[in-house]
Amino acid sequence: MKEVIYKSNDYILNQIEDSYVILDKKTKSLHLLNESAVYMLENCDGKTADEIAHEIYDNCLNKDEITENMIKEDCFAIMIEMEKRGLIVYEKKKN
């Protein structure tokens, strides 16, 4: 059984210039995210980490400079941090 990701609803997202700031309503802490991390957060519901990484790679304009495995490694690292901060949770996928 694979794990799927769901975002928390306990945050407020605001864009400030080229970055995004998230206010965690529970802990009152701030998190600074880049555009890729926000895409992952906003589009993760019900998807696996592999599916999210694949979507990001599909949308890359510089595929000659980057591999899908590079994207996966970066995505997985970001998702680990988002999980630690309570922005996402993993659940078992029911088939």
Coordinates of all heavy atoms in Angstrom, one line a residue:
M1 N 0.8 -1.2 0.0 CA 0.0 0.0 0.0 C 0.9 1.3 0.0 O 1.8 1.4 0.8 CB -0.9 0.0 1.3 CG -2.2 0.5 1.0 SD -3.2 0.6 2.6 CE -3.9 -1.0 2.6
K2 N 0.6 2.2 -0.9 CA 1.4 3.4 -1.0 C 0.8 4.5 0.0 O -0.4 4.4 0.3 CB 1.4 3.9 -2.4 CG 2.3 3.1 -3.3 CD 2.5 3.9 -4.6 CE 3.5 3.1 -5.4 NZ 3.9 3.9 -6.6
E3 N 1.7 5.4 0.3 CA 1.2 6.5 1.1 C 0.9 7.7 0.2 O 1.6 8.0 -0.7 CB 2.3 6.9 2.1 CG 2.5 5.9 3.3 CD 3.4 6.4 4.3 OE1 4.4 7.1 4.0 OE2 3.1 6.2 5.5
V4 N -0.3 8.3 0.5 CA -0.6 9.5 -0.2 C -0.5 10.7 0.8 O -0.5 10.5 2.0 CB -2.1 9.5 -0.8 CG1 -2.1 8.4 -1.9 CG2 -3.1 9.2 0.3
I5 N -0.5 11.9 0.3 CA -0.3 13.1 1.0 C -1.5 14.0 1.1 O -2.2 14.1 0.0 CB 0.9 13.9 0.4 CG1 2.2 13.0 0.4 CG2 1.2 15.2 1.2 CD1 3.3 13.6 -0.5
Y6 N -1.7 14.6 2.2 CA -2.8 15.5 2.3 C -2.3 16.8 3.0 O -1.5 16.6 4.0 CB -4.0 15.0 3.1 CG -4.7 13.9 2.4 CD1 -4.4 12.5 2.6 CD2 -5.7 14.2 1.5 CE1 -5.0 11.5 1.9 CE2 -6.3 13.2 0.7 CZ -6.0 11.8 1.0 OH -6.6 10.8 0.3
K7 N -2.7 17.9 2.6 CA -2.2 19.2 3.2 C -3.1 19.5 4.4 O -4.2 19.1 4.5 CB -2.2 20.3 2.2 CG -3.6 20.7 1.7 CD -3.5 21.9 0.7 CE -4.9 22.2 0.2 NZ -4.9 23.1 -0.8
S8 N -2.5 20.2 5.4 CA -3.2 20.7 6.5 C -4.0 21.9 6.1 O -3.7 22.6 5.2 CB -2.2 21.1 7.6 OG -2.8 21.9 8.6
N9 N -5.1 22.1 6.8 CA -5.9 23.3 6.6 C -5.6 24.3 7.6 O -6.4 25.3 7.7 CB -7.4 22.9 6.5 CG -7.7 22.1 5.3 OD1 -7.3 22.3 4.2 ND2 -8.5 21.0 5.5
D10 N -4.6 24.1 8.4 CA -4.3 25.0 9.5 C -3.3 26.1 9.2 O -2.4 26.4 10.0 CB -3.9 24.2 10.8 CG -5.0 23.3 11.3 OD1 -6.2 23.8 11.2 OD2 -4.7 22.2 11.8
Y11 N -3.3 26.6 8.0 CA -2.3 27.6 7.7 C -3.0 28.7 6.7 O -4.0 28.5 6.1 CB -1.1 27.0 7.0 CG -1.4 26.4 5.6 CD1 -1.4 27.2 4.5 CD2 -1.6 25.0 5.5 CE1 -1.6 26.6 3.2 CE2 -1.8 24.5 4.2 CZ -1.8 25.3 3.1 OH -2.1 24.7 1.9
I12 N -2.3 29.8 6.7 CA -2.6 30.9 5.8 C -1.4 31.2 4.9 O -0.3 31.3 5.4 CB -3.0 32.2 6.6 CG1 -4.2 31.9 7.5 CG2 -3.3 33.3 5.7 CD1 -4.4 33.0 8.5
L13 N -1.7 31.2 3.6 CA -0.6 31.3 2.6 C -0.7 32.7 2.0 O -1.7 33.2 1.6 CB -0.8 30.3 1.5 CG 0.2 30.4 0.3 CD1 1.6 30.1 0.8 CD2 -0.2 29.4 -0.7
N14 N 0.5 33.4 2.0 CA 0.5 34.8 1.4 C 1.8 34.9 0.5 O 2.8 34.4 0.9 CB 0.6 35.9 2.5 CG -0.7 36.1 3.2 OD1 -1.7 36.4 2.5 ND2 -0.7 36.0 4.5
Q15 N 1.6 35.5 -0.6 CA 2.8 35.7 -1.5 C 3.4 37.1 -1.2 O 2.7 38.0 -1.1 CB 2.4 35.6 -3.0 CG 3.6 35.7 -3.9 CD 3.2 35.5 -5.4 OE1 2.1 35.3 -5.7 NE2 4.2 35.6 -6.2
I16 N 4.7 37.1 -1.1 CA 5.5 38.3 -0.9 C 6.6 38.3 -1.9 O 7.6 37.5 -1.8 CB 6.0 38.4 0.5 CG1 4.9 38.4 1.5 CG2 6.9 39.7 0.7 CD1 5.3 38.4 3.0
E17 N 6.5 39.1 -3.0 CA 7.4 39.2 -4.1 C 7.5 37.8 -4.7 O 6.5 37.2 -5.1 CB 8.7 39.8 -3.7 CG 8.5 41.2 -3.3 CD 9.8 41.9 -2.9 OE1 10.9 41.4 -3.2 OE2 9.8 43.0 -2.2
D18 N 8.7 37.2 -4.7 CA 9.0 35.9 -5.3 C 8.9 34.7 -4.3 O 9.2 33.6 -4.7 CB 10.3 35.9 -6.0 CG 10.4 36.8 -7.2 OD1 9.3 37.1 -7.7 OD2 11.5 37.2 -7.6
S19 N 8.5 35.0 -3.1 CA 8.5 34.0 -2.1 C 7.0 33.9 -1.5 O 6.2 34.8 -1.8 CB 9.4 34.3 -0.9 OG 10.8 34.3 -1.4
Y20 N 6.8 32.9 -0.7 CA 5.5 32.7 -0.1 C 5.8 32.5 1.4 O 6.7 31.8 1.8 CB 4.9 31.4 -0.7 CG 4.5 31.6 -2.1 CD1 5.5 31.3 -3.1 CD2 3.3 31.9 -2.5 CE1 5.2 31.5 -4.5 CE2 2.9 32.1 -3.9 CZ 3.9 31.8 -4.8 OH 3.6 32.0 -6.1
V21 N 4.9 33.1 2.2 CA 5.0 33.0 3.6 C 3.7 32.2 4.1 O 2.6 32.5 3.7 CB 5.1 34.4 4.3 CG1 5.0 34.2 5.8 CG2 6.3 35.1 3.9
I22 N 4.0 31.2 4.9 CA 2.8 30.5 5.5 C 2.8 30.7 7.0 O 3.8 30.6 7.7 CB 3.0 29.0 5.3 CG1 2.8 28.7 3.8 CG2 2.1 28.2 6.1 CD1 2.9 27.2 3.4
L23 N 1.6 31.1 7.5 CA 1.4 31.2 8.9 C 0.7 30.0 9.4 O -0.4 29.7 8.9 CB 0.6 32.5 9.3 CG 0.1 32.6 10.7 CD1 1.3 32.7 11.7 CD2 -0.9 33.7 10.9
D24 N 1.3 29.3 10.3 CA 0.7 28.1 10.9 C -0.3 28.6 12.0 O 0.2 29.2 13.0 CB 1.7 27.1 11.4 CG 1.2 25.8 12.0 OD1 0.1 25.9 12.6 OD2 1.8 24.8 11.7
K25 N -1.5 28.4 11.8 CA -2.5 28.9 12.7 C -2.4 28.2 14.1 O -2.8 28.8 15.1 CB -3.9 28.7 12.2 CG -4.2 29.6 11.0 CD -5.7 29.6 10.6 CE -5.9 28.6 9.4 NZ -7.3 28.6 9.0
K26 N -2.0 27.0 14.1 CA -1.9 26.3 15.4 C -0.7 26.7 16.2 O -0.8 27.0 17.4 CB -1.8 24.7 15.2 CG -3.1 24.1 14.8 CD -2.8 22.6 14.8 CE -4.1 21.8 14.4 NZ -3.9 20.4 14.3
T27 N 0.5 26.8 15.6 CA 1.7 27.1 16.3 C 2.1 28.5 16.3 O 3.0 29.0 16.9 CB 2.9 26.2 15.8 OG1 3.1 26.6 14.4 CG2 2.6 24.7 15.9
K28 N 1.4 29.3 15.4 CA 1.7 30.7 15.2 C 3.1 30.9 14.6 O 3.7 32.0 14.8 CB 1.5 31.5 16.5 CG 0.2 31.4 17.1 CD -0.9 32.0 16.3 CE -2.2 32.0 17.0 NZ -3.3 31.4 16.4
S29 N 3.6 29.9 14.0 CA 5.0 30.0 13.4 C 4.9 30.3 11.9 O 3.8 30.1 11.2 CB 5.8 28.7 13.6 OG 5.1 27.6 13.0
L30 N 5.9 30.9 11.4 CA 6.0 31.3 10.0 C 6.9 30.4 9.2 O 8.0 30.0 9.8 CB 6.5 32.7 9.8 CG 5.6 33.9 10.3 CD1 6.3 35.2 10.2 CD2 4.3 33.9 9.5
H31 N 6.6 30.1 8.0 CA 7.5 29.3 7.1 C 7.6 30.0 5.8 O 6.6 30.5 5.2 CB 6.8 27.9 6.8 CG 6.4 27.2 8.1 ND1 7.3 26.6 8.9 CD2 5.2 27.0 8.7 CE1 6.7 26.1 10.0 NE2 5.4 26.3 9.8
L32 N 8.8 30.0 5.3 CA 9.1 30.7 4.0 C 9.2 29.6 2.9 O 10.1 28.7 3.1 CB 10.3 31.5 4.0 CG 10.7 32.3 2.8 CD1 9.6 33.4 2.5 CD2 12.0 33.0 3.0
L33 N 8.4 29.6 1.9 CA 8.5 28.6 0.8 C 8.8 29.2 -0.5 O 8.3 30.3 -0.8 CB 7.2 27.8 0.7 CG 6.7 27.1 2.0 CD1 5.4 26.4 1.7 CD2 7.7 26.0 2.4
N34 N 9.4 28.4 -1.4 CA 9.6 28.9 -2.8 C 8.4 28.4 -3.6 O 7.5 27.7 -3.1 CB 10.9 28.4 -3.4 CG 11.1 26.9 -3.5 OD1 10.1 26.2 -3.5 ND2 12.3 26.5 -3.6
E35 N 8.4 28.8 -4.9 CA 7.2 28.4 -5.8 C 7.0 26.9 -5.9 O 5.9 26.5 -5.9 CB 7.5 29.1 -7.1 CG 6.3 29.0 -8.0 CD 6.5 29.8 -9.3 OE1 7.4 30.6 -9.4 OE2 5.7 29.6 -10.2
S36 N 8.1 26.2 -6.0 CA 8.0 24.7 -6.1 C 7.4 24.1 -4.9 O 6.5 23.2 -5.0 CB 9.4 24.1 -6.4 OG 9.9 24.5 -7.6
A37 N 7.8 24.5 -3.7 CA 7.3 24.0 -2.5 C 5.8 24.3 -2.3 O 5.0 23.5 -1.9 CB 8.0 24.5 -1.3
V38 N 5.4 25.5 -2.7 CA 4.0 25.9 -2.7 C 3.2 25.0 -3.7 O 2.1 24.6 -3.3 CB 3.8 27.4 -3.0 CG1 2.3 27.8 -3.2 CG2 4.4 28.2 -1.8
Y39 N 3.7 24.8 -4.8 CA 3.0 23.9 -5.8 C 2.8 22.6 -5.2 O 1.7 22.0 -5.3 CB 3.8 23.8 -7.1 CG 3.2 22.9 -8.1 CD1 2.2 23.3 -9.0 CD2 3.5 21.5 -8.1 CE1 1.6 22.5 -9.8 CE2 2.8 20.6 -8.9 CZ 1.9 21.1 -9.8 OH 1.2 20.3 -10.7
M40 N 3.8 22.0 -4.5 CA 3.7 20.7 -3.9 C 2.6 20.7 -2.8 O 1.8 19.8 -2.8 CB 5.0 20.3 -3.3 CG 6.0 19.8 -4.3 SD 7.5 19.2 -3.5 CE 8.5 20.6 -3.4
L41 N 2.6 21.8 -2.0 CA 1.6 21.9 -0.9 C 0.2 22.0 -1.5 O -0.7 21.4 -1.0 CB 2.0 23.1 0.0 CG 1.1 23.3 1.2 CD1 1.2 22.1 2.1 CD2 1.6 24.6 1.9
E42 N 0.1 22.9 -2.5 CA -1.3 23.2 -3.0 C -1.9 22.0 -3.9 O -3.1 22.0 -4.1 CB -1.3 24.5 -3.7 CG -1.1 25.7 -2.9 CD -2.2 25.9 -1.9 OE1 -3.3 26.1 -2.3 OE2 -1.9 25.8 -0.6
N43 N -1.0 21.1 -4.3 CA -1.4 20.1 -5.3 C -1.2 18.7 -4.8 O -1.2 17.7 -5.6 CB -0.7 20.3 -6.6 CG -1.2 21.6 -7.3 OD1 -2.3 21.6 -7.9 ND2 -0.3 22.6 -7.2
C44 N -1.0 18.5 -3.5 CA -0.6 17.2 -3.0 C -1.8 16.3 -2.6 O -1.7 15.1 -2.5 CB 0.3 17.3 -1.8 SG -0.5 18.1 -0.3
D45 N -3.0 16.8 -2.3 CA -4.1 16.0 -1.8 C -4.4 14.8 -2.6 O -4.7 14.8 -3.7 CB -5.3 16.9 -1.6 CG -5.3 17.8 -0.4 OD1 -4.5 17.6 0.5 OD2 -6.2 18.7 -0.3
G46 N -4.2 13.6 -1.9 CA -4.5 12.4 -2.5 C -3.5 11.8 -3.4 O -3.7 10.8 -4.0
K47 N -2.3 12.4 -3.5 CA -1.3 12.0 -4.5 C -0.1 11.4 -3.7 O 0.1 11.8 -2.5 CB -0.8 13.1 -5.3 CG -1.9 13.7 -6.2 CD -1.4 14.9 -7.0 CE -2.5 15.5 -7.8 NZ -2.1 16.7 -8.4
T48 N 0.6 10.6 -4.3 CA 1.9 10.1 -3.7 C 3.0 11.1 -4.0 O 2.9 11.9 -4.9 CB 2.3 8.7 -4.3 OG1 2.6 8.9 -5.7 CG2 1.2 7.7 -4.2
A49 N 4.1 10.9 -3.2 CA 5.2 11.8 -3.4 C 5.8 11.7 -4.9 O 6.2 12.6 -5.5 CB 6.3 11.5 -2.4
D50 N 5.8 10.4 -5.4 CA 6.3 10.2 -6.7 C 5.4 10.9 -7.8 O 5.9 11.5 -8.7 CB 6.3 8.7 -7.1 CG 7.5 8.0 -6.5 OD1 8.5 8.6 -6.3 OD2 7.3 6.8 -6.2
E51 N 4.1 10.9 -7.6 CA 3.2 11.6 -8.5 C 3.4 13.1 -8.5 O 3.4 13.7 -9.6 CB 1.7 11.3 -8.1 CG 1.3 9.9 -8.4 CD 0.0 9.5 -7.8 OE1 -0.5 10.1 -6.8 OE2 -0.7 8.6 -8.4
I52 N 3.6 13.7 -7.4 CA 3.9 15.1 -7.3 C 5.2 15.4 -8.0 O 5.3 16.4 -8.8 CB 3.9 15.6 -5.8 CG1 2.5 15.4 -5.2 CG2 4.3 17.0 -5.7 CD1 2.5 15.5 -3.7
A53 N 6.2 14.7 -7.7 CA 7.5 14.9 -8.3 C 7.4 14.8 -9.8 O 8.0 15.6 -10.6 CB 8.6 14.0 -7.7
H54 N 6.7 13.8 -10.3 CA 6.5 13.6 -11.7 C 5.8 14.8 -12.4 O 6.2 15.2 -13.5 CB 5.8 12.3 -12.0 CG 5.7 12.0 -13.5 ND1 6.7 11.5 -14.2 CD2 4.6 12.1 -14.3 CE1 6.3 11.4 -15.5 NE2 5.0 11.7 -15.6
E55 N 4.8 15.3 -11.7 CA 4.1 16.5 -12.2 C 5.0 17.7 -12.4 O 5.0 18.4 -13.4 CB 2.9 16.9 -11.3 CG 1.7 16.0 -11.4 CD 0.6 16.5 -10.5 OE1 0.6 17.6 -10.0 OE2 -0.3 15.6 -10.2
I56 N 5.9 17.9 -11.3 CA 6.8 19.0 -11.4 C 7.8 18.8 -12.5 O 8.1 19.7 -13.3 CB 7.5 19.2 -10.0 CG1 6.5 19.7 -9.0 CG2 8.7 20.1 -10.1 CD1 7.0 19.7 -7.6
Y57 N 8.3 17.6 -12.7 CA 9.3 17.3 -13.8 C 8.6 17.6 -15.1 O 9.2 18.2 -16.0 CB 9.8 15.9 -13.7 CG 10.8 15.6 -14.8 CD1 12.0 16.1 -14.8 CD2 10.4 14.8 -15.9 CE1 12.9 15.9 -15.8 CE2 11.3 14.5 -16.9 CZ 12.5 15.1 -16.9 OH 13.4 14.8 -17.9
D58 N 7.3 17.1 -15.3 CA 6.6 17.3 -16.5 C 6.5 18.8 -16.9 O 6.4 19.2 -18.1 CB 5.2 16.7 -16.5 CG 5.2 15.2 -16.8 OD1 6.3 14.7 -17.2 OD2 4.2 14.6 -16.5
N59 N 6.4 19.7 -15.9 CA 6.3 21.1 -16.1 C 7.6 21.8 -16.2 O 7.6 23.1 -16.4 CB 5.4 21.7 -15.0 CG 4.0 21.3 -15.1 OD1 3.4 21.4 -16.2 ND2 3.4 20.8 -14.0
C60 N 8.7 21.1 -16.1 CA 10.1 21.8 -16.2 C 10.4 22.2 -17.6 O 10.1 21.5 -18.5 CB 11.2 20.8 -15.7 SG 11.3 20.7 -14.0
L61 N 10.9 23.4 -17.7 CA 11.3 23.9 -19.0 C 12.7 23.5 -19.3 O 13.1 23.5 -20.5 CB 11.1 25.4 -19.0 CG 9.7 25.9 -18.8 CD1 9.7 27.4 -18.8 CD2 8.8 25.4 -19.9
N62 N 13.5 23.1 -18.3 CA 15.0 22.9 -18.6 C 15.3 21.4 -18.4 O 16.2 21.0 -17.7 CB 15.8 23.7 -17.6 CG 15.5 23.5 -16.2 OD1 14.4 23.0 -15.8 ND2 16.5 23.8 -15.3
K63 N 14.5 20.5 -19.0 CA 14.7 19.1 -18.9 C 16.1 18.6 -19.4 O 16.6 17.5 -19.0 CB 13.6 18.3 -19.6 CG 12.3 18.4 -18.9 CD 11.3 17.5 -19.5 CE 10.0 17.6 -18.8 NZ 8.8 17.9 -19.6
D64 N 16.7 19.4 -20.2 CA 18.1 19.0 -20.7 C 19.1 19.3 -19.6 O 20.2 18.7 -19.7 CB 18.4 19.8 -22.0 CG 18.3 21.3 -21.8 OD1 17.5 21.8 -21.0 OD2 19.1 22.0 -22.5
E65 N 18.8 20.0 -18.6 CA 19.7 20.3 -17.5 C 19.4 19.5 -16.2 O 20.2 19.6 -15.2 CB 19.7 21.8 -17.2 CG 20.1 22.7 -18.3 CD 19.8 24.1 -18.0 OE1 19.7 24.5 -16.9 OE2 19.8 24.9 -19.0
I66 N 18.3 18.8 -16.1 CA 17.9 18.2 -14.9 C 17.2 16.9 -15.2 O 16.6 16.7 -16.3 CB 16.9 19.2 -14.1 CG1 16.7 18.8 -12.7 CG2 15.6 19.3 -14.8 CD1 16.2 19.9 -11.8
T67 N 17.3 15.9 -14.3 CA 16.6 14.6 -14.4 C 15.5 14.5 -13.5 O 15.3 15.2 -12.5 CB 17.6 13.5 -14.1 OG1 17.9 13.5 -12.7 CG2 18.9 13.6 -15.0
E68 N 14.6 13.6 -13.8 CA 13.4 13.3 -12.9 C 13.9 12.9 -11.5 O 13.3 13.3 -10.5 CB 12.5 12.3 -13.5 CG 11.2 12.3 -12.8 CD 10.1 11.5 -13.5 OE1 10.2 11.2 -14.7 OE2 9.0 11.3 -12.9
N69 N 15.0 12.1 -11.5 CA 15.5 11.7 -10.2 C 16.0 12.9 -9.3 O 15.8 12.9 -8.1 CB 16.6 10.7 -10.3 CG 16.1 9.3 -10.6 OD1 14.9 9.0 -10.3 ND2 16.9 8.4 -11.2
M70 N 16.6 13.9 -10.0 CA 17.0 15.1 -9.2 C 15.8 15.8 -8.7 O 15.8 16.2 -7.5 CB 17.8 16.0 -10.2 CG 19.1 15.5 -10.6 SD 19.8 16.4 -12.0 CE 20.4 17.8 -11.2
I71 N 14.7 15.9 -9.4 CA 13.5 16.5 -9.0 C 12.9 15.7 -7.8 O 12.5 16.3 -6.8 CB 12.4 16.6 -10.1 CG1 12.9 17.5 -11.2 CG2 11.1 17.0 -9.6 CD1 12.8 19.0 -10.9
K72 N 12.9 14.4 -7.9 CA 12.4 13.5 -6.9 C 13.1 13.7 -5.6 O 12.5 13.9 -4.5 CB 12.4 12.1 -7.3 CG 11.3 11.6 -8.2 CD 11.4 10.1 -8.5 CE 10.3 9.7 -9.4 NZ 10.3 8.3 -9.7
E73 N 14.4 13.8 -5.6 CA 15.3 13.9 -4.4 C 14.9 15.3 -3.7 O 14.7 15.3 -2.5 CB 16.7 13.9 -4.8 CG 17.2 12.5 -5.1 CD 18.7 12.5 -5.6 OE1 19.4 13.5 -5.4 OE2 19.1 11.4 -6.1
D74 N 14.8 16.3 -4.5 CA 14.5 17.6 -4.0 C 13.1 17.7 -3.4 O 12.9 18.2 -2.3 CB 14.6 18.7 -5.0 CG 16.1 19.0 -5.4 OD1 17.0 18.6 -4.7 OD2 16.3 19.7 -6.4
C75 N 12.1 17.1 -4.1 CA 10.7 17.0 -3.7 C 10.6 16.3 -2.4 O 9.9 16.7 -1.4 CB 9.8 16.4 -4.7 SG 9.5 17.5 -6.1
F76 N 11.3 15.1 -2.3 CA 11.2 14.3 -1.1 C 11.8 15.0 0.1 O 11.2 15.0 1.2 CB 11.9 13.0 -1.3 CG 11.2 12.1 -2.3 CD1 11.9 10.9 -2.7 CD2 10.0 12.3 -2.9 CE1 11.3 10.1 -3.7 CE2 9.4 11.5 -3.8 CZ 10.1 10.4 -4.2
A77 N 12.9 15.7 -0.1 CA 13.5 16.5 1.0 C 12.5 17.6 1.5 O 12.4 17.8 2.7 CB 14.8 17.1 0.6
I78 N 11.9 18.3 0.6 CA 11.0 19.4 0.9 C 9.8 18.8 1.6 O 9.3 19.3 2.6 CB 10.6 20.2 -0.3 CG1 11.8 21.0 -0.9 CG2 9.4 21.1 -0.1 CD1 11.6 21.5 -2.3
M79 N 9.2 17.7 1.1 CA 8.1 17.1 1.8 C 8.4 16.6 3.2 O 7.5 16.6 4.1 CB 7.5 16.0 0.9 CG 6.8 16.5 -0.3 SD 6.0 15.3 -1.3 CE 7.2 15.1 -2.7
I80 N 9.6 16.1 3.4 CA 10.0 15.7 4.8 C 9.9 16.9 5.7 O 9.4 16.8 6.8 CB 11.4 15.0 4.8 CG1 11.3 13.6 4.1 CG2 11.9 15.0 6.2 CD1 12.7 13.0 3.8
E81 N 10.4 18.0 5.2 CA 10.4 19.2 6.1 C 9.0 19.7 6.3 O 8.6 20.2 7.4 CB 11.2 20.3 5.4 CG 12.7 20.1 5.5 CD 13.2 20.0 7.0 OE1 12.8 20.8 7.8 OE2 14.0 19.1 7.2
M82 N 8.1 19.7 5.2 CA 6.8 20.1 5.4 C 6.0 19.2 6.4 O 5.2 19.7 7.1 CB 6.0 20.1 4.0 CG 6.5 21.3 3.2 SD 5.4 21.7 1.8 CE 5.7 20.4 0.7
E83 N 6.3 17.9 6.3 CA 5.7 17.0 7.3 C 6.1 17.3 8.7 O 5.3 17.3 9.6 CB 6.0 15.5 6.9 CG 5.3 14.5 7.9 CD 5.7 13.1 7.6 OE1 6.8 12.8 7.1 OE2 4.9 12.2 8.0
K84 N 7.4 17.5 8.9 CA 7.9 17.9 10.3 C 7.2 19.1 10.8 O 7.0 19.3 12.0 CB 9.4 18.1 10.2 CG 10.3 16.9 10.1 CD 11.7 17.3 10.0 CE 12.6 16.1 9.7 NZ 14.0 16.5 9.6
R85 N 6.9 20.1 9.9 CA 6.3 21.3 10.3 C 4.8 21.3 10.4 O 4.1 22.2 10.7 CB 6.7 22.4 9.4 CG 8.2 22.8 9.6 CD 8.7 23.8 8.6 NE 10.0 24.3 8.9 CZ 11.1 23.8 8.7 NH1 11.2 22.5 8.2 NH2 12.3 24.3 9.0
G86 N 4.2 20.1 10.1 CA 2.8 19.9 10.2 C 2.0 20.4 9.0 O 0.8 20.6 9.1
L87 N 2.6 20.7 7.9 CA 1.9 21.3 6.8 C 1.3 20.2 5.9 O 0.3 20.5 5.2 CB 2.9 22.1 5.9 CG 3.5 23.4 6.6 CD1 4.5 24.0 5.7 CD2 2.4 24.3 7.0
I88 N 1.8 19.0 6.0 CA 1.3 17.8 5.3 C 1.3 16.6 6.2 O 2.0 16.6 7.1 CB 2.0 17.5 3.9 CG1 3.5 17.1 4.2 CG2 1.9 18.7 2.9 CD1 4.2 16.6 3.0
V89 N 0.4 15.7 5.8 CA 0.4 14.4 6.5 C 0.3 13.3 5.5 O -0.2 13.5 4.4 CB -0.8 14.3 7.5 CG1 -0.7 15.3 8.6 CG2 -2.1 14.4 6.8
Y90 N 0.9 12.1 5.8 CA 0.8 11.0 5.0 C -0.2 10.0 5.5 O -0.4 9.8 6.7 CB 2.2 10.3 5.0 CG 3.3 11.0 4.2 CD1 4.0 12.0 4.8 CD2 3.5 10.7 2.9 CE1 5.0 12.6 4.1 CE2 4.5 11.3 2.1 CZ 5.2 12.3 2.8 OH 6.2 12.9 2.1
E91 N -1.0 9.4 4.6 CA -1.9 8.4 4.9 C -1.8 7.2 4.0 O -1.4 7.4 2.8 CB -3.4 8.9 4.9 CG -3.7 10.0 5.9 CD -5.1 10.5 5.8 OE1 -5.9 9.8 5.1 OE2 -5.4 11.5 6.5
K92 N -2.2 6.0 4.4 CA -2.1 4.9 3.6 C -3.2 5.0 2.5 O -4.3 5.4 2.7 CB -2.4 3.6 4.3 CG -1.3 3.2 5.3 CD 0.0 2.8 4.7 CE 1.0 2.5 5.7 NZ 2.3 2.3 5.1
K93 N -2.8 4.7 1.2 CA -3.7 4.8 0.1 C -4.6 3.5 0.1 O -4.1 2.4 0.2 CB -2.9 4.9 -1.2 CG -3.8 5.1 -2.4 CD -2.9 5.3 -3.7 CE -3.7 5.7 -4.9 NZ -2.8 5.9 -6.0
K94 N -5.9 3.8 0.0 CA -6.8 2.7 0.0 C -7.2 2.3 -1.5 O -7.6 3.2 -2.2 CB -8.1 3.0 0.8 CG -7.8 3.3 2.2 CD -9.0 3.9 2.9 CE -8.6 4.2 4.3 NZ -8.4 5.6 4.6
N95 N -7.0 1.1 -1.9 CA -7.3 0.7 -3.2 C -8.5 -0.2 -3.2 O -8.8 -1.0 -2.6 CB -6.2 -0.1 -3.9 CG -5.0 0.9 -4.1 OD1 -4.8 1.9 -3.4 ND2 -4.2 0.5 -5.0

